[in-house]
Every structure is written in structure tokens, then in C-alpha cells.
Amino acid sequence: MTDKQKYYHLLGEVCEAMPASAVDSAIRAGYGQEHKSASTRLHHVKQGKVASLPDLVALIRASMPGYDIPAHLLPDETVPAVAAPLFT
């Protein structure tokens, strides 16, 4: 499953249970402080406009601490953030 597929599957599981204060909870917990428009971005992630699995996981962990995210829906940590060049 790609991260985008994981994002939409996880969003489908939590969309109705996620509280309206999820973005505020994530900001208060310190997530997204490095971005000037963190609140807007997190609102877009919550609404499904921006498919960012790490941001969705942060929203869930900050606002729904009792919810255990299934392991198969977590971001794949083994994939490098930057791909190696194809030609050397």
C-alpha cells in the first residue's frame, strides 16, 4: 500500500470520530511549529485536501490518544526520504 492509500484508508476510519479540536490539539502538542501555516495545512489534512500520512498520524495521536493506529497504516520508515539518483 502506498502512503497515499494508507492516508485515505486511515482518514476513512477516523473521520467521524476525530474531534473538531484535533488541529488545535496537534498545534498545542508542538506539531508543525516549523511551518508558518501549520494550522491551515493540518485543517486541509483533516478535510482530505492534502494527503499527508505523517500529518494525519500526528493529528490522530494528539487528539485521539485512545485510538491505536493499525501498524499497517503507519508511514513506512524504511523508505528513504530522498531517492538516490537514477544515473551517476
Side-chain angles (χ1 to χ4, degrees), residues 39-79:
S39 177
T40 302
R41 177 176 172 79
L42 291 175
H43 276 290
H44 288 168
V45 168
K46 184 180 174 200
Q47 295 167 352
K49 293 179 180 178
V50 175
S52 172
L53 184 58
D55 288 342
L56 180 60
V57 169
L59 281 172
I60 293 169
R61 288 185 175 156
S63 66
M64 302 171 64
Y67 181 77
D68 291 326
I69 300 172
H72 70 280
L73 294 179
L74 290 172
D76 187 12
E77 301 295 330
T78 61
V79 176

Side-chain angles (χ1 to χ4, degrees), residues 1-23:
M1 219 189 279
T2 67
D3 277 357
K4 193 170 189 177
Q5 290 169 326
K6 291 177 186 180
Y7 166 84
Y8 284 113
H9 187 80
L10 185 56
L11 183 63
E13 286 190 11
V14 300
C15 66
E16 291 185 14
M18 190 181 299
S21 62
V23 172

Side-chain angles (χ1 to χ4, degrees), residues 24-48:
D24 294 332
S25 297
I27 297 289
R28 270 188 254 117
Y31 188 79
Q33 298 298 327
E34 64 277 0
H35 299 292
K36 187 172 93 175
S37 60
S39 177
T40 302
R41 177 176 172 79
L42 291 175
H43 276 290
H44 288 168
V45 168
K46 184 180 174 200
Q47 295 167 352

